[in-house]
Amino acid sequence: MDVSHLIDPLNPAQREAVCAPTGHYLVLAGAGSGKTRVLTHRIGWLTEVERVSPWSILAVTFTNKAAGEMRHRAEQLMPSGTRGLWIGTFHGIAHRLLRQHWREAGLPETFQILDADDQTRLLKRIINGLGLEEARWPARQAAALINGWKDEGKRPGAIPVDFNPALKTQIDIYRNYEEHCQRSGLVDFAELLLRAHELWLNHDELLKHYRERFRHLLIDEFQDTNTLQYAWIRLLAGATGQVFVVGDDDQAIYGWRGAKVENVQQFLRDFPGAKTLRLERNYRSTGNILIAANAVIANNPGRLGKQLWTESELGEALDLYAAYNEQDEARFVIDRIKQAVREGGRNDGCAILYRSNAQSRLFEEALMVEAIPYRVYGGLRFFDRMEIKDALSYLRLCGNRHDDAAFERAVNTPPRGIGERTLDALRSRGRDQKLSMWDAVQAELAGGLLAARAKAALRAFAELIEQLAREHDALTLAEQMANVIERSALKAHYQANAKGQAESRLENLDELINVAARFERSPEDREAGLSELAAFLAHAALEAGDAEGEAWEDCVQLMTLHSAKGLEFPLVFLVGLEDGLFPSQKSLDEEGRLQEERRLAYVGITRARQKLVLCYAESRRWHGMDTFNRPSRFLSEMPNTVLQDVRPRVQVARPSAFGRNASSFLAERGLLRGGVVETPPIKLGANVRHASFGDGVVTDFEGAGAHARVQINFANSGRKWLVLGFAQLTVL
């Protein structure tokens, strides 16, 4: 058998992973080390060499784009074909399981996926229905709590209240939300995973079937798994499954949304005999970029450890620019982009990465002034746009009349004279009688107390939905979409009410018809028995929930560091490298947070292929205040041999992170009052005493004059910011 196509493109470390005997493996894959190649070639090796049936392989990743790429590559490597092979995201595979076993999962056959926006809207109505003030009980906060509980595998009854009235109220919201979703046939993203996990926990025969089927589990981006996803993997693997996970503990940057980097090390304890393999050769970046990345991440304790290297040349040094302020930082970056394009580069080869979305504004303004096209990556995806969600709500309601989220979105878009008082009456009836909004309408029309005008408007809407559903039986999916847009009068509505965005919204509605025309059910959708409409609605919901953005045109890319993961660019600008901004102020107070911020810096550095430019501002207006932060500690963790100052200045040296105190820092910036340099009376590192907080050490300083503030790390009270004019500090 000729297997050269499976192993020839691989380096020795990749080959060791791909050709490893069956068993449990943790593959630590550094940035740019070819992990997707290893995963797909492993699938090819199992099927073509080990003679494993594709039917017994389950491959899981985190984005639809990654899943599509993995399937495409696998098809090229498997002459015998990929029929029976399951490749998808956690949410996509969970959805597929629930579609096939909806009865056992306790769901209606026509259940719909509730996206994040509709989840928040639904929770807002539930909170109002419980008589709670949304200002005190925000729907977004409730959604985050509920999703977090679900990610931990907790239903309302499993959460200890501990005599906490606020927690009891949140659990009541969760319980009412669950009842409403069950009644309406709605499943949110977190519920997809929890319900699929419970499906196996509660049905031994189903679990046995899938354990016997999926003998080989391949998991991508393992460092991003949360508690429930890891439990899901362990449950499915049982005692017989062979688990091959690929991840990088140095790129674990999603702890804030429930990911558990601890799962990487826990895997070695939970799967007996599991072996660790390392992919350390980087195919993306120059040597100097990797030297900087390795040096920064080496400061994190508890790593499993690896050292990126490359056969490429060292390349250029990393440019370090000390801007006077944030405007100077933006001007410098835009000038460098113009220079790169003049020298033959492209706009889309340039990326500006920042810690906070708020930093993008100045760069956007500077790019607009220079007429340079740009795109803020991570903006609204196509299926997240209001007009698209409005159109899809009609189709969702045609497929499931009890989808309250779709009902509430469609019933008065466009306005039909169905006011809030009418809707409140329907909601009240629904709560009291445990009815969906659709059934509440039918009950009102059969003998309710609503005014004749309100009943007429509701009857017209109900008849529209029923008529659309009848007509759709004979129409293609694209024709259904066009029919909904036409009959609902959405185009006329946006033409009159889009406030300058009418053309864009109408174009998006036309594109929705094109998307529907191009859509094809996958073999998995057919296997699950999904109609074309149900498959399309599931596709739209899962795409809207995908964290990864869309492809871009020839534009400069602006994005947060979190959005940049998985991407790469020839020229990268890493801006705002100041303590308090990056790393963030919160992370400076908590060791665990600081480690994740350092991993985020590692991710940012390794996005650059050929050139990395690092920027910090010596002064910055932030949250309405002028701040004078020290350069990021991540800069001081990089060896001087790979850094070069872009604009060395005799009169201004590097700020205090490189050995200066706050006094000289301010003096060099010429902060003059009446011709006199105003400097802080207390130096960084000074020992001070406060009447209430006790003794502490000055760790930071910002502002000048009467409004100057100092940050002090008190031995007994922790870190605090105090205004010098009122603090009455004693220097020890």
Side-chain angles (χ1 to χ4, degrees):
M1 176 191 303
D2 182 13
V3 294
S4 58
H5 67 293
L6 292 173
I7 60 176
D8 283 357
L10 308 176
N11 67 38
Q14 292 172 337
R15 191 172 300 177
E16 181 185 8
V18 166
C19 306
T22 55
H24 302 311
Y25 293 94
L26 168 62
V27 180
L28 287 177
S33 63
K35 68 179 178 61
T36 304
R37 171 175 287 185
V38 165
L39 277 166
T40 52
H41 281 250
R42 177 67 174 176
I43 293 171
W45 181 268
L46 289 173
T47 56
E48 302 304 311
V49 179
E50 301 289 348
R51 293 302 180 187
V52 170
S53 168
W55 197 77
S56 67
I57 296 174
L58 175 68
V60 187
T61 187
F62 271 80
T63 68
N64 294 307
K65 178 182 175 183
E69 182 181 356
M70 197 183 297
R71 176 172 289 281
H72 175 70
R73 291 198 193 183
E75 286 171 347
Q76 294 179 321
L77 292 171
M78 297 167 60
S80 55
T82 60
R83 182 177 177 80
L85 172 65
W86 278 29
I87 296 179
T89 65
F90 276 103
H91 292 99
I93 288 170
H95 171 254
R96 185 173 174 182
L97 286 167
L98 295 179
R99 286 293 180 193
Q100 291 186 344
H101 305 288
W102 54 272
R103 285 192 185 89
E104 295 90 334
L107 291 168
E109 186 176 10
T110 56
F111 76 84
Q112 301 283 3
I113 301 173
L114 191 68
D115 67 24
D117 179 51
D118 284 339
Q119 181 188 31
T120 303
R121 289 158 65 110
L122 176 56
L123 278 165
K124 183 180 287 190
R125 293 193 294 273
I126 288 169
I127 289 165
N128 290 335
L130 290 171
L132 301 171
E133 296 181 14
E134 208 212 333
R136 185 178 176 189
W137 307 99
R140 289 190 181 278
Q141 182 187 50
L145 277 171
I146 290 169
N147 293 339
W149 281 325
K150 288 186 178 184
D151 286 345
E152 295 289 329
K154 295 176 181 176
R155 295 294 184 188
I159 303 167
V161 178
D162 295 331
F163 306 104
N164 183 333
L167 180 59
K168 183 180 183 300
T169 300
Q170 294 287 7
I171 295 171
D172 287 342
I173 295 171
Y174 184 10
R175 186 175 289 108
N176 277 269
Y177 169 75
E178 276 212 322
E179 291 172 358
H180 193 105
C181 286
Q182 186 66 30
R183 189 165 62 243
S184 302
L186 298 175
V187 178
D188 60 45
F189 290 121
E191 182 72 18
L192 283 170
L193 288 171
L194 180 54
R195 191 72 68 116
H197 187 246
E198 291 172 341
L199 177 69
W200 286 333
L201 282 176
N202 299 331
H203 296 85
D204 292 340
E205 286 302 312
L206 272 180
L207 177 59
K208 180 182 177 183
H209 165 76
Y210 282 105
R211 278 180 172 173
E212 289 178 351
R213 172 172 181 175
F214 294 124
R215 298 299 183 101
H216 297 271
L217 310 181
L218 292 85
I219 316 297
D220 190 16
E221 302 287 7
F222 185 66
Q223 78 281 348
D224 294 335
T225 53
N226 61 31
T227 299
L228 184 59
Q229 288 161 343
Y230 184 53
W232 194 89
I233 294 164
R234 288 192 65 193
L235 182 63
L236 179 56
T240 57
Q242 307 294 308
V243 187
F244 186 95
V245 303
V246 179
D248 184 2
D249 56 334
D250 290 334
Q251 294 189 77
I253 60 173
Y254 297 120
W256 50 277
R257 70 182 189 196
K260 303 285 188 183
V261 66
E262 299 86 355
N263 289 346
V264 177
Q265 297 200 21
Q266 189 64 36
F267 175 82
L268 298 173
R269 294 189 285 270
D270 290 338
F271 289 87
K275 298 177 182 177
T276 302
L277 305 174
R278 287 174 171 79
L279 304 181
E280 298 173 301
R281 179 179 175 183
N282 177 281
Y283 289 90
R284 177 187 300 156
S285 306
T286 63
N288 278 328
I289 292 170
L290 297 184
I291 290 170
N294 287 330
V296 169
I297 201 63
N299 289 276
N300 266 2
R303 300 170 58 229
L304 288 172
K306 63 185 173 311
Q307 190 84 355
L308 293 181
W309 62 276
T310 180
E311 289 189 350
S312 301
E313 297 180 353
L314 283 176
E316 294 184 48
L318 283 59
D319 286 348
L320 176 61
Y321 184 73
Y324 294 112
N325 53 35
E326 67 272 27
Q327 289 92 353
D328 183 36
E329 179 184 54
R331 178 203 58 76
F332 167 75
V333 169
I334 289 357
D335 283 349
R336 288 293 296 268
I337 289 172
K338 290 165 61 179
Q339 177 185 338
V341 173
R342 282 196 304 270
E343 294 173 355
R346 289 171 50 92
N347 287 315
D348 62 359
C350 306
I352 305 171
L353 311 185
Y354 37 78
R355 179 64 181 84
S356 168
N357 276 309
Q359 293 171 256
S360 73
R361 181 182 62 85
L362 281 172
F363 294 101
E364 291 186 64
E365 290 176 358
L367 287 162
M368 283 190 286
V369 167
E370 296 291 342
I372 299 173
Y374 72 91
R375 182 173 184 268
V376 180
Y377 188 85
L380 279 182
R381 296 172 58 82
F382 181 75
F383 287 113
D384 280 325
R385 292 166 186 160
M386 178 174 64
E387 61 275 16
I388 302 303
K389 291 165 72 69
D390 287 342
L392 291 178
S393 67
Y394 284 87
L395 284 176
R396 284 170 53 188
L397 204 52
C398 288
N400 174 12
R401 303 293 195 282
H402 305 298
D403 183 342
D404 282 0
F407 179 95
E408 294 250 15
R409 185 178 279 275
V411 68
N412 228 14
T413 309
R416 294 185 170 84
I418 302 171
E420 274 301 308
R421 290 180 61 185
T422 300
L423 291 174
D424 282 342
L426 294 174
R427 293 171 189 136
S428 179
R429 180 185 280 268
R431 283 194 302 272
D432 294 343
Q433 301 179 16
K434 305 296 184 185
L435 301 174
S436 66
M437 292 287 279
W438 182 267
D439 283 344
V441 169
Q442 308 310 312
E444 283 292 338
L445 294 179
L449 301 177
L450 288 175
R453 184 176 178 181
K455 285 186 176 181
L458 288 172
R459 184 176 289 108
F461 175 69
E463 288 174 352
L464 170 64
I465 297 301
E466 295 287 7
Q467 188 171 1
L468 286 171
R470 287 194 300 270
E471 292 170 352
H472 287 178
D473 289 340
L475 300 177
T476 66
L477 181 62
E479 289 169 341
Q480 292 178 43
M481 194 68 68
N483 194 39
V484 157
I485 292 170
E486 177 66 29
R487 299 287 300 280
S488 66
L490 280 173
K491 278 195 170 183
H493 167 64
Y494 283 119
Q495 187 79 53
N497 298 284
K499 297 180 181 178
Q501 295 183 316
E503 184 177 357
S504 172
R505 296 201 187 281
L506 295 179
E507 287 176 354
N508 285 336
L509 288 174
D510 287 338
E511 179 59 20
L512 182 59
I513 299 171
N514 295 334
V515 170
R518 294 191 297 266
F519 178 75
E520 293 183 9
R521 278 183 301 167
S522 68
E524 294 83 4
D525 292 335
R526 293 190 177 90
E527 183 183 329
L530 267 68
S531 67
E532 193 173 30
L533 174 60
F536 181 75
L537 292 175
H539 165 75
L542 291 169
E543 280 288 330
D546 200 336
E548 192 162 300
E550 301 167 17
W552 53 72
E553 298 173 356
D554 184 20
C555 302
V556 173
Q557 305 302 308
L558 280 68
M559 66 191 75
T560 65
L561 284 151
H562 283 100
S563 298
K565 187 168 178 290
L567 304 176
E568 58 184 73
F569 305 90
L571 173 59
V572 168
F573 297 88
L574 192 47
V575 301
L577 281 163
E578 299 136 39
D579 272 5
L581 182 55
F582 185 43
S584 68
Q585 189 59 50
K586 284 184 178 179
S587 73
L588 294 176
D589 299 330
E590 298 180 33
E591 177 61 24
R593 282 178 179 260
L594 182 58
Q595 289 181 36
E596 182 155 317
E597 290 280 293
R598 188 173 280 110
R599 293 194 290 266
L600 194 56
Y602 176 81
V603 166
I605 294 166
T606 54
R607 297 313 93 195
R609 292 208 301 261
Q610 296 155 14
K611 184 68 179 178
L612 177 62
V613 181
L614 309 165
C615 301
Y616 66 90
E618 295 174 339
S619 68
R620 182 182 298 274
R621 191 159 185 81
W622 190 244
H623 299 310
M625 294 184 63
D626 289 323
T627 62
F628 302 93
N629 296 326
R630 291 171 294 176
S632 170
R633 63 197 59 205
F634 302 146
L635 290 173
S636 64
E637 292 170 356
M638 298 179 192
N640 288 330
T641 55
V642 302
L643 297 175
Q644 66 177 6
D645 286 313
V646 173
R647 188 185 58 179
R649 295 192 294 275
V650 175
Q651 73 277 22
V652 180
R654 287 177 174 171
S656 53
F658 293 89
R660 296 186 301 125
N661 60 35
S663 178
S664 58
F665 183 28
L666 288 173
E668 286 167 0
R669 280 149 189 78
L671 297 176
L672 301 178
R673 299 295 169 103
V676 178
V677 175
E678 185 164 314
T679 61
I682 301 175
K683 294 183 178 181
L684 293 180
N687 293 299
V688 297
R689 179 169 294 159
H690 185 272
S692 300
F693 302 130
D695 293 350
V697 179
V698 176
T699 58
D700 208 345
F701 180 90
E702 67 181 24
H707 300 292
R709 301 195 310 156
V710 288
Q711 184 189 60
I712 303 170
N713 189 9
F714 289 102
N716 298 322
S717 307
R719 282 193 177 92
K720 295 185 182 298
W721 280 98
L722 302 176
V723 178
L724 270 178
F726 302 101
Q728 297 183 346
L729 297 170
T730 301
V731 179
L732 302 179

